């Protein structure tokens, strides 16, 4: 019996208890949940439904709890129900019901842990959103790992998710980038405020190789050509780097298209309809202070120039007009001031800033080797590139390490720690358990031990077996909570706890017969539990974009 199935059973037992007493069953919630007691001696699960409903129907919580318990004890799979405190229900599953979860997990396969918690939500998830003026670097990688994991988790919770990268390809930085590439191609010094680094030389050589006549153009023509061709080359490099990191974007949205396609003007028209646009000092403003922003924002300057904020407003309205119910922005640590202004844009557009828009801020990442800061990149100059991180650390170690901590706090990673093959390295610890479960399954097959339909779930009664079953049962709730709170690190921390539970099971409960021992039904039952653990490790790591190797 899964926690979700038990929650349904609790709700039905409560419904029956109210109906038997001619009480109003309409006060029942559409859904309820069960929780793990803090003290395992109190049972497998606990419910506070009697505390929630007692006052509404005129019964004391303990009286209602007794009625619910009576009905619940008649439910197949329930071993015992006890009333605790003011009306809590402590529930123990029967041995067979607890063990049956192993079969449920194995047969569900990749679907185990998925739900419809966020069904019908259409979410635009924007993350990384780097300027196409240099390689993807360490500052982007935390959001690359966390953003992609969050997208996977939201989809696992039933949401329709579009992963989007906003290309900051409008403004003066693109002209400076083009001038830097042009200077490199002509063997001239980097212009003032230009972009240094060997990658500029690389881009220049690539552009010249693909456009042999480009150096024959006039200086003005070269400026345009190098900016356009350099942009294409740099964008392709960014896309390739992120794909190597396992991060795929459904949409690469160009800021420039907002200006060129009339989206900014359209946004101004829409905002005017809501009554929040005004003119002052020859400029056009949005009255964002009506919705908590610290100051009103200029949309079009007195010289007719559109501001970056105008593009922000147009981009948000564009997302909503594409049908997204919720727009999630994942921004860097230096963008904290954007929270108020982006939410004000949503409010000025007539939306609910508490529902239609979310802004998540991620703190900085630093990299150490043996406790010492890693030297700067030779290629990018002042930065460490994503490609260099992949080369030194590997995709799995980098992604897991970046995703396993809350983004609220700065993160320091030590290369030597996250790449060593020891149990104090969390990614190795989890992957090793996944590989061990695969090894057990292979060895079982060699001995002729296979899962069969004669699976006797009631044989899984050892404390370590029950602990592991409880951990497996928690997985769907962990995924749903990670999706609801936008916290992928919950999945990683859960996997580490699951790995510990499996180690304790493995050390205390032999799956495989030894020597001339015959194969028993207990061996088969434990093989189901072993394989269920493998499935949850695979599913959980996949949500983080990390592989689950069968051999290590």
């Amino acid at each position: 019996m899964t926690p979700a199935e038990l929650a349904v059973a609790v709700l039905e037992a409560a419904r029956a208890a109210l109906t038997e007493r001619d009480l109003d069953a309409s006060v029942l919630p559409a859904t309820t949940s069960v929780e793990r007691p803090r003290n395992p001696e109190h049972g497998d699960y606990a419910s506070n439904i009697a505390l929630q409903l007692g006052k509404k129907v005129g019964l004391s919580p303990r009286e209602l709890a007794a009625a619910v318990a009576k009905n619940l004890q008649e439910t197949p799979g329930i071993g015992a129900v006890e009333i605790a405190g003011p009306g809590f229900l402590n529930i123990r599953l029967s041995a067979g019901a607890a063990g049956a979860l192993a079969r449920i997990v194995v047969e569900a396969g990749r679907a185990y842990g998925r739900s419809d918690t966020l069904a019908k939500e259409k979410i635009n998830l924007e993350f990384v959103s780097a300027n196409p003026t240099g390689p993807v670097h360490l500052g982007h990688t935390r959001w690359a790992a966390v953003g992609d994991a969050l997208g996977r988790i939201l989809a696992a919770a039933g949401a329709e998710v579009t992963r989007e990268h906003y290309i900051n390809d409008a403004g003066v930085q693109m002209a400076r980038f083009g001038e830097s590439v042009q200077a490199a191609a002509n063997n001239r010094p980097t212009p003032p405020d230009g972009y240094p680094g060997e990658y500029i030389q690389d881009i220049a050589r690539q552009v010249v190789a693909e456009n042999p006549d480009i150096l024959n153009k006039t200086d003005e023509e070269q400026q345009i050509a190098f900016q356009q061709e350099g942009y294409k080359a740099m964008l392709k490099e960014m896309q390739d780097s992120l794909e190597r990191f396992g991060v795929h974007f459904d949409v690469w949205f160009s800021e420039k298209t907002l200006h060129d396609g009339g989206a900014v003007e359209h946004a101004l028209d829409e905002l005017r309809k809501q009554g929040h646009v005004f003119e002052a000092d020859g400029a056009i403003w949005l009255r964002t202070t009506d919705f908590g922003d610290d100051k009103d924002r200029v949309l079009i300057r007195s010289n007719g120039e559109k501001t970056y904020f105008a593009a922000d407003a147009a981009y948000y309205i564009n997302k909503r007009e594409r049908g997204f119910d919720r727009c999630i922005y994942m921004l860097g640590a230096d963008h904290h001031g954007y929270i108020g202004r982006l939410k004000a844009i949503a409010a000025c557009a007539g939306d609910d800033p508490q529902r239609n828009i979310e802004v998540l801020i991620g703190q900085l990442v630093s990299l150490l080797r043996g406790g010492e800061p890693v030297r700067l990149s030779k290629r990018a100059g002042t930065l460490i590139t994503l490609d260099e991180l992949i080369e030194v650390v590997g995709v799995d170690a980098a992604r897991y390490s970046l995703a396993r901590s809350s983004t609220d706090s700065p993160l320091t990673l030590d290369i030597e720690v996250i790449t060593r093959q020891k149990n104090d390295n969390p990614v190795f610890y989890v992957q090793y358990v996944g590989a061990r479960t695969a090894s057990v399954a292979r060895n079982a097959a060699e001995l002729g031990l296979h899962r069969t339909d004669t699976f006797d779930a009631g044989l899984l009664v050892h404390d370590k077996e029950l602990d592991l079953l409880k951990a497996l049962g928690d997985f769907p709730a962990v995924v749903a909570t990670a999706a609801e709170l936008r916290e992928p690190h919950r999945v990683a921390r859960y996997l580490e706890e699951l790995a510990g539970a499996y180690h304790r099971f493995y050390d205390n409960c032999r799956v495989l017969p030894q020597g001339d021992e015959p194969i028993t039904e207990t061996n088969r039952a434990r093989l189901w539990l072993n394989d269920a653990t493998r499935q949850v490790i695979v599913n959980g790591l996949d949500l983080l974009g990390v592989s689950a190797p069968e051999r290590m």
Side-chain angles (χ1 to χ4, degrees):
M1 177 177 286
T2 66
E5 291 171 335
L6 178 58
V8 171
V10 168
L11 201 58
E12 289 306 311
R15 188 185 308 280
L18 295 178
T19 301
E20 289 164 2
R21 287 159 179 73
D22 294 324
L23 296 173
D24 182 12
S26 68
V27 299
L28 284 167
T31 60
T32 190
S33 62
V34 291
E35 306 291 337
R36 294 284 189 199
R38 291 184 180 179
N39 186 345
E41 294 181 1
H42 293 166
D44 298 315
Y45 294 95
S47 170
N48 66 351
I49 195 165
L51 295 169
Q52 291 177 315
L53 299 178
K55 189 182 233 182
K56 294 180 181 179
V57 297
L59 294 178
S60 73
R62 282 191 67 89
E63 183 181 359
L64 179 56
V68 175
K70 175 179 174 293
N71 292 323
L72 192 58
Q73 284 179 321
E74 298 173 0
T75 303
I78 302 296
V81 184
E82 301 168 354
I83 303 168
F88 289 102
L89 294 172
N90 288 337
I91 305 164
R92 299 180 190 275
L93 301 181
S94 65
L101 179 66
R103 185 170 197 150
I104 290 170
V105 173
V106 171
E107 292 182 345
R110 298 303 289 263
Y112 185 69
R114 305 184 74 87
S115 70
D116 59 359
T117 305
L118 299 180
K120 299 182 180 178
E121 277 212 32
K122 190 173 180 182
I123 296 175
N124 181 283
L125 180 64
E126 181 204 331
F127 58 104
V128 180
S129 296
N131 293 341
T133 55
V136 180
H137 58 73
L138 185 62
H140 303 127
T141 54
R142 189 174 197 179
W143 270 148
V146 175
D148 185 68
L150 179 57
R152 293 166 184 252
I153 290 168
L154 291 171
E160 180 184 340
V161 183
T162 295
R163 299 162 180 81
E164 187 151 316
H165 187 297
Y166 184 57
I167 312 168
N168 294 277
D169 55 0
V172 68
Q173 79 272 10
M174 293 309 302
R176 289 174 180 166
F177 171 72
E179 291 166 1
S180 301
V181 177
Q182 180 189 10
N186 286 279
N187 296 314
R188 297 199 300 255
T190 301
D193 298 323
Y195 292 88
E198 289 185 10
Y199 78 93
I200 291 291
Q201 302 285 341
D202 296 339
I203 294 293
R205 283 190 287 269
Q206 180 180 338
V207 170
V208 172
E210 294 174 358
N211 304 270
D213 296 331
I214 195 168
L215 295 177
N216 297 327
K217 297 178 181 292
T218 66
D219 188 71
E220 185 176 345
E221 291 172 336
Q222 280 193 33
Q223 287 180 12
I224 297 171
F226 274 108
Q227 180 174 328
Q228 293 174 342
E229 297 303 316
Y231 164 69
K232 291 178 187 177
M234 193 72 260
L235 184 61
K236 176 67 163 54
E237 181 176 323
M238 291 170 61
Q239 292 170 333
D240 290 346
S241 293
L242 288 163
E243 289 284 353
R244 280 192 290 274
F245 199 49
V247 177
H248 172 77
F249 287 97
D250 304 301
V251 176
W252 288 75
F253 193 100
S254 163
E255 178 191 355
K256 191 170 182 295
T257 63
L258 293 172
H259 295 279
D260 296 345
V264 174
E265 289 78 8
H266 171 70
L268 261 62
D269 290 341
E270 294 301 308
L271 292 168
R272 280 194 183 96
K273 292 176 185 177
Q274 297 294 327
H276 302 292
V277 175
F278 67 98
E279 295 188 24
D281 303 322
I284 298 177
W285 302 67
L286 188 64
R287 202 180 302 279
T288 54
T289 52
D290 287 347
F291 301 100
D293 196 6
D294 59 345
K295 62 181 179 180
D296 293 327
R297 303 287 171 175
V298 178
L299 293 165
I300 300 181
R301 297 188 177 94
S302 57
N303 62 3
E305 181 183 339
K306 300 166 187 171
T307 63
Y308 193 85
F309 181 76
D312 284 341
Y315 187 36
Y316 172 76
I317 289 173
N318 174 277
K319 288 180 179 181
R320 293 285 286 131
E321 290 181 345
R322 280 187 276 153
F324 295 107
D325 308 308
R326 196 180 298 269
C327 303
I328 302 177
Y329 293 73
M330 303 179 73
L331 305 180
D334 56 343
H335 287 71
H336 200 276
Y338 275 66
I339 297 175
R341 71 188 72 168
L342 286 172
K343 284 188 170 290
I345 288 172
C348 288
D351 288 340
D352 180 354
Q354 301 307 313
R355 164 169 170 72
N356 298 119
I357 188 167
E358 295 178 33
V359 185
L360 309 179
I361 300 294
Q363 297 302 316
L364 299 174
V365 180
S366 56
L367 201 61
L368 305 177
R369 189 195 299 270
E372 296 295 325
V374 174
R375 293 170 58 187
L376 299 176
S377 168
K378 291 181 180 179
R379 182 166 186 264
T382 59
L383 306 169
I384 299 168
T385 69
L386 173 57
D387 286 340
E388 288 166 330
L389 182 67
I390 293 173
E391 182 179 350
V392 173
V393 174
V395 171
D396 284 348
R399 288 193 59 139
Y400 189 95
S401 301
L402 288 163
R404 76 177 292 268
S405 299
S406 171
T407 56
D408 292 340
S409 302
L411 178 63
T412 300
L413 300 179
D414 192 313
I415 290 174
E416 292 185 1
V417 173
I418 65 176
T419 56
R420 65 187 175 208
Q421 296 193 349
K422 293 185 178 180
N423 282 344
D424 61 350
N425 174 11
V427 64
F428 174 81
Y429 183 61
V430 173
Q431 287 184 315
Y432 179 75
V433 166
R436 171 169 274 186
T437 60
S439 175
V440 168
R442 286 194 303 272
N443 292 335
E446 291 175 1
L447 293 172
L449 170 59
H450 303 283
R451 301 191 312 263
T452 68
D453 289 337
T454 60
F455 169 53
D456 187 349
L459 295 172
L460 299 175
V461 294
H462 191 283
D463 286 348
K464 303 309 177 188
E465 293 169 340
L466 295 175
D467 288 345
L468 182 54
L469 285 162
K470 288 177 183 178
L472 295 173
D474 288 340
F475 182 58
V478 169
V479 177
T481 302
E484 180 184 358
L485 299 180
R486 319 307 192 219
E487 294 181 343
H489 70 273
R490 289 176 176 268
V491 173
R493 297 310 174 106
Y494 162 82
L495 290 174
E496 291 161 33
E497 293 175 4
L498 176 63
Y502 179 82
H503 273 307
R504 292 185 288 274
F505 157 75
Y506 183 87
D507 291 340
N508 289 274
C509 305
R510 283 209 318 270
V511 178
L512 306 178
Q514 291 187 332
D516 296 330
E517 291 179 350
I519 294 173
T520 67
E521 292 305 314
T522 297
N523 296 130
R524 290 194 177 91
R526 287 174 174 171
L527 182 60
W528 277 93
L529 184 51
N530 174 84
D531 293 356
T533 305
R534 166 74 186 172
Q535 188 63 67
V536 173
I537 292 284
V538 168
N539 292 2
L541 286 175
D542 183 67
L543 291 177
L544 301 176
V546 177
S547 70
E550 294 189 358
R551 289 180 169 83
M552 290 184 70

